[in-house]
């Protein structure tokens, strides 16, 4: 039984070069979550799915993922995988990933095989087998719902003191719209050509992998993978996953080789998944896998939040000042106000309290002053005056005995102002209408007790005309899936005013990174604003 299991396992892992079996250890997924779903893991919202479809690196439910998986294939062969994924890097917004696989078995008994009798004879020697793969992933959003990715991989195998190595390329494409996710990956598009140390070569088979995911309910999703490599019948994989309380997951799957089941636990970014596989051949055995992942809800835009915090604080202070200014309402009817003496008294009382009280008025006159004395004239003053009509001037200081007679010269001309024939009219120049506005601030807050997301958008009218704004909100999760989009909201903004448009979303939201998109359309045109926020129940 052990020999059968070893031979069967080695064939699955590619240790024997039976045509298409080279590198077959690469055909398994690298997470226990995908294993429990019947190996249908190419359309998961998980960075490990990028191993099967590199475009899936952009669908990860977390900004960063660190994941490790350990398994036992058919109770004989060790299987280990490590994966790192970054959904949105600072380098052209690329998704970046790295995966490492290591699989092997020791203590295999060497035997000679007789083709005539079909029997094997043990030689007493033992040897081992191992296979490693290194995969580098790049992914990018091509359009709003379309993603493209590539895997560059290096493969190495060791068997009975012989080694082989080669490199290859995979391409992947994923389209996601609403509840549907469709994917196509061309695995081994450039096939690794394994060159063994003894001189022979083997190539890994190119294959096409079609993947589908459909979200039946908010917590229930079904998955399917279809594989075609041209040398064997079409291979199907089916799986389903139900999530309870956004924390516990129940999974089941099927493919022609095995039945699978598993569970998962996700709490505060720590995810633990388990998968149990039963082979379709009753005498072969079972396999078990466990994965541990740490999910960080971060991405390029969220990394800039700390840098923007100062700007947001300044904007909030400005908006608060504007709101307080608006709360001071002008008095529309002064007659009504004057009929309320209590209010008038309060106003004068407040005004009096603001002025300093003078306790001693006499103290104002105790300050030192200066005395101004006349200047003595050494000789009589001679005063030259312009002639003024019919004027006589007498001065006690003048030595003249008789009055001084001053005769004015006649005026040369008399100027009369005649009224204009018509009053002068001043025409006002026409003022050009200016329509302009801006998004002053967009802020979101999640209320955990009432499960409510509130978003406030403050709009400033910068022109000289009232504006009518039509606004829409859209909430998108970290996978790019739209979970809410409202009908247009109409808002009128007076001249030189600030108005606020609010959204209240009351549907439950799981922990993670969300994007809130705001569009405002008016005569000026359309303004677009996108903000990311984190919903974390631990806060």
């Amino acid at each position: 039984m052990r020999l059968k299991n070893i031979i069967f396992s080695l064939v699955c892992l590619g240790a024997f070069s039976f045509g298409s079996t080279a590198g077959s250890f690469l055909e398994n997924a690298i997470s226990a979550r995908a294993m429990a779903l019947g190996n249908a893991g190419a359309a998961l919202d998980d960075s490990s799915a990028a191993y099967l479809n590199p475009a899936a690196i952009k669908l990860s439910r977390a900004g960063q993922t660190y994941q490790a998986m350990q398994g036992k294939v058919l109770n004989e062969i060790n299987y280990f995988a490590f994966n790192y994924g970054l959904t949105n890097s600072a380098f052209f917004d690329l998704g970046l990933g790295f995966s490492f696989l290591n699989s092997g078995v020791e203590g295999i008994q060497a035997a000679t095989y007789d083709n005539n009798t079909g029997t094997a004879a043990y030689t007493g020697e033992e040897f081992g087998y191992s296979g490693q793969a290194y995969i580098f992933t790049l992914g990018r959003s091509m359009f709003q719902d379309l993603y493209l990715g590539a895997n560059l991989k290096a493969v190495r195998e060791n068997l009975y003191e012989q080694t082989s190595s080669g490199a290859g390329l995979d391409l992947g494409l994923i389209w996601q719209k609403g509840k549907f996710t469709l994917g196509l990956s061309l695995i081994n598009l450039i096939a690794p050509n394994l060159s063994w140390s003894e001189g022979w070569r083997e190539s890994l088979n190119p294959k096409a992998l079609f993947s589908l995911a459909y979200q039946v309910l908010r917590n229930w999703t079904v998955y399917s993978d279809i594989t075609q490599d041209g040398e064997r019948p079409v291979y199907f994989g089916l799986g389903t996953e139900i999530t309870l309380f956004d924390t516990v997951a129940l999974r089941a799957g099927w493919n022609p080789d095995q039945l699978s089941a598993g569970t998962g636990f996700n709490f505060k970014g720590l995810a633990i998944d388990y998968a149990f596989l039963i082979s379709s051949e009753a005498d072969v055995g079972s396999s078990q896998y466990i994965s541990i992942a740490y999910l960080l809800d971060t991405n390029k835009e969220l990394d800039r939040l700390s840098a923007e915090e100062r700007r947001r604080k300044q904007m909030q202070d400005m908006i608060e000042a504007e709101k307080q200014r608006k709360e001071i309402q002008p008095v529309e009817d002064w007659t009504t106000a004057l009929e309320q003496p209590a209010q008038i008294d309060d106003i004068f009382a407040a005004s009096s309290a603001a002025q300093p009280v003078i306790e001693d008025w006499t103290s104002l006159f105790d300050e030192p002053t200066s005395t101004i004395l006349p200047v003595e004239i050494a000789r009589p003053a001679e005063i030259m005056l312009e002639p003024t009509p019919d004027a006589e001037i007498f001065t006690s200081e003048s030595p003249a005995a008789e009055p001084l007679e001053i005769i004015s010269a006649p005026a040369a001309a008399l100027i009369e102002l005649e009224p204009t024939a018509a009053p002068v009219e001043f025409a006002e120049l026409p003022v050009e209408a200016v329509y302009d506005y801006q998004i002053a601030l967009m802020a979101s807050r999640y209320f955990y007790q009432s499960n409510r997301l509130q978003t406030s958008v403050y709009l400033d009218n910068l022109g000289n005309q009232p504006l009518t704004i039509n606004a829409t909100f859209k909430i998108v999760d970290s996978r790019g899936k739209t979970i809410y989009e409202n009908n247009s909201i109409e808002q009128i903004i007076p001249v030189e005013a600030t108005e606020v448009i609010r959204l209240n979303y009351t549907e439950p939201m799981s922990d993670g990174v969300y994007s809130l998109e705001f569009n405002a359309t008016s005569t000026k045109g359309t303004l677009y604003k996108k903000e990311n926020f984190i919903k974390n129940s631990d806060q």
Side-chain angles (χ1 to χ4, degrees):
M1 176 65 65
R2 174 179 173 83
L3 178 60
K4 179 178 180 180
N5 289 347
I6 293 295
I7 293 175
F8 182 82
S9 301
L10 290 175
V11 169
C12 292
L13 290 171
F16 292 112
S17 56
F18 293 150
S20 63
T21 59
S24 294
F25 73 97
L26 299 171
E27 295 182 2
N28 289 325
I30 60 173
S31 71
R33 182 186 179 198
M35 291 287 196
L37 295 171
N39 215 19
L44 290 176
D45 56 347
D46 188 327
S47 66
S48 66
Y51 169 70
L52 297 174
N53 188 330
I57 191 70
K58 297 295 291 181
L59 302 184
S60 176
R61 53 185 165 171
Q64 292 188 58
T65 304
Y66 301 84
Q67 181 170 258
M69 183 184 76
Q70 179 66 47
K72 201 78 168 177
V73 182
L74 304 177
N75 293 324
E76 299 290 348
I77 301 173
N78 294 315
Y79 189 84
F80 173 80
F82 171 80
N83 167 259
Y84 168 77
L86 178 62
T87 306
N88 297 302
S89 70
F91 186 68
F92 297 103
D93 204 32
L94 290 175
L96 302 176
F98 170 74
S99 301
F100 169 72
L101 286 77
N102 182 54
S103 182
V105 62
E106 295 294 336
I108 304 174
Q109 296 184 12
T112 59
Y113 185 77
D114 189 340
N115 291 327
N116 296 324
T117 61
T119 59
Y122 293 109
T123 63
E125 297 182 52
E126 291 187 351
F127 65 96
Y129 164 80
S130 65
Q132 295 86 33
Y134 305 85
I135 300 99
F136 298 90
T137 302
L138 292 175
R140 181 168 175 76
S141 174
M142 304 303 296
F143 300 101
Q144 182 176 0
D145 303 312
L146 188 65
Y147 307 92
L148 178 67
N151 280 340
L152 179 63
K153 58 187 178 184
V155 182
R156 177 183 175 88
E157 289 186 298
N158 299 274
L159 175 66
Y160 196 64
E161 300 180 355
Q162 302 297 317
T163 60
S164 66
S165 59
L169 177 71
D170 306 335
L171 287 181
L173 193 68
I174 283 184
W175 176 78
Q176 186 178 65
K177 187 69 174 178
K179 298 182 178 182
F180 283 96
T181 301
L182 297 176
L184 169 64
S185 54
L186 303 177
I187 300 176
N188 300 327
L189 181 64
I190 299 178
N193 193 3
L194 301 181
S195 301
W196 288 89
S197 54
E198 286 195 353
W200 77 87
R201 294 176 178 271
E202 293 180 292
S203 292
L204 275 64
N205 290 330
K207 60 182 178 181
L209 173 61
F210 300 90
S211 54
L212 167 68
Y214 176 68
Q215 188 179 24
V216 182
L217 299 174
R218 191 183 70 86
N219 63 337
W220 178 24
T221 308
V222 294
Y223 302 90
S224 176
D225 282 2
I226 303 173
T227 307
Q228 175 58 258
D229 63 6
E231 293 193 2
R232 62 179 179 179
V234 175
Y235 189 87
F236 292 92
L238 298 172
T240 185
E241 178 182 61
I242 296 177
T243 304
L244 305 176
F245 312 111
D246 293 327
T247 302
V248 179
L250 303 177
R251 307 179 182 111
W254 169 90
N255 61 47
D257 293 332
Q258 60 210 2
L259 291 173
S260 58
T263 186
F265 178 79
N266 187 348
F267 183 68
K268 294 184 179 180
L270 180 64
I272 301 175
D273 297 303
Y274 171 77
F276 182 78
L277 283 63
I278 301 176
S279 174
S280 56
E281 295 190 20
D283 57 346
V284 170
S286 61
S287 305
Q288 299 182 69
Y289 299 88
I290 186 169
S291 294
I292 299 178
Y294 183 59
L295 313 177
L296 291 176
D297 288 328
T298 181
N299 57 31
K300 185 184 74 173
E301 293 185 6
L302 291 179
D303 289 341
R304 295 200 300 262
L305 285 181
S306 58
E308 293 179 353
E309 196 63 28
R310 293 186 296 272
R311 179 184 65 83
R312 291 195 178 197
K313 181 65 169 62
Q314 294 174 353
M315 292 300 301
Q316 288 175 347
D317 292 343
M318 293 173 59
I319 291 170
E320 287 299 324
E322 177 70 15
K323 290 164 63 179
Q324 291 178 8
R325 183 185 69 80
K326 287 186 174 183
E327 291 174 358
I328 304 176
Q329 301 295 333
V331 178
E332 302 292 344
D333 186 359
W334 280 101
T335 17
T336 307
L338 292 174
E339 293 174 357
Q340 301 175 3
Q343 295 184 6
I344 300 301
D345 293 343
D346 293 342
I347 294 173
F348 280 105
S351 175
S352 301
Q355 303 295 330
V357 178
I358 300 177
E359 302 292 345
D360 186 5
W361 285 92
T362 58
S363 62
L364 296 177
F365 304 100
D366 292 339
E367 297 181 7
T369 60
S370 299
T371 303
I372 302 175
L373 299 177
V375 179
E376 182 180 358
I377 301 177
R379 59 186 179 84
E382 296 179 0
I383 302 174
M384 304 297 295
L385 299 175
E386 293 291 336
T388 2
D390 302 328
E392 292 182 354
I393 298 178
F394 297 92
T395 172
S396 60
E397 286 86 8
S398 175
E402 296 181 358
L404 177 65
E405 184 178 356
I406 300 174
I407 301 175
S408 62
L414 179 63
I415 301 176
E416 295 183 359
L417 297 177
E418 296 182 358
T420 57
V424 179
E425 296 182 357
F426 296 92
E428 295 184 359
L429 296 177
V431 178
E432 182 182 359
V434 178
Y435 298 91
D436 194 12
Y437 71 111
Q438 69 175 3
I439 299 175
L441 177 68
M442 184 166 78
S444 299
R445 177 179 295 178
Y446 193 87
F447 299 87
Y448 290 91
Q449 293 183 351
S450 57
N451 289 326
R452 178 170 59 92
L453 171 68
Q454 178 178 295
T455 298
S456 300
V457 179
Y458 294 85
L459 298 174
D460 292 340
N461 188 345
L462 306 178
N464 58 12
Q465 301 293 323
L467 278 176
T468 300
I469 304 295
N470 292 302
T472 60
F473 290 89
K474 181 190 291 186
I475 303 175
V476 182
D477 63 16
S478 59
R479 298 173 294 177
K481 182 181 298 183
T482 300
I483 63 174
Y484 173 79
E485 184 170 7
N486 71 315
N487 296 325
S488 179
I489 301 173
E490 185 175 291
Q491 177 72 50
I492 298 177
I493 309 178
V495 178
E496 297 183 356
T498 298
E499 294 293 338
V500 60
I501 299 177
R502 285 191 173 89
L503 166 70
N504 286 289
Y505 180 68
T506 57
E507 294 295 327
M509 301 173 67
S510 59
D511 290 355
V513 179
Y514 294 87
S515 297
L516 184 68
E517 300 179 10
F518 174 80
N519 278 282
T521 304
S522 72
T523 308
K524 165 67 177 175
T526 299
L527 293 182
Y528 173 78
K529 182 78 172 177
K530 178 181 178 181
E531 293 283 351
N532 284 7
F533 66 93
I534 301 174
K535 193 262 180 177
N536 188 348
S537 300
D538 190 39
Q539 293 181 346

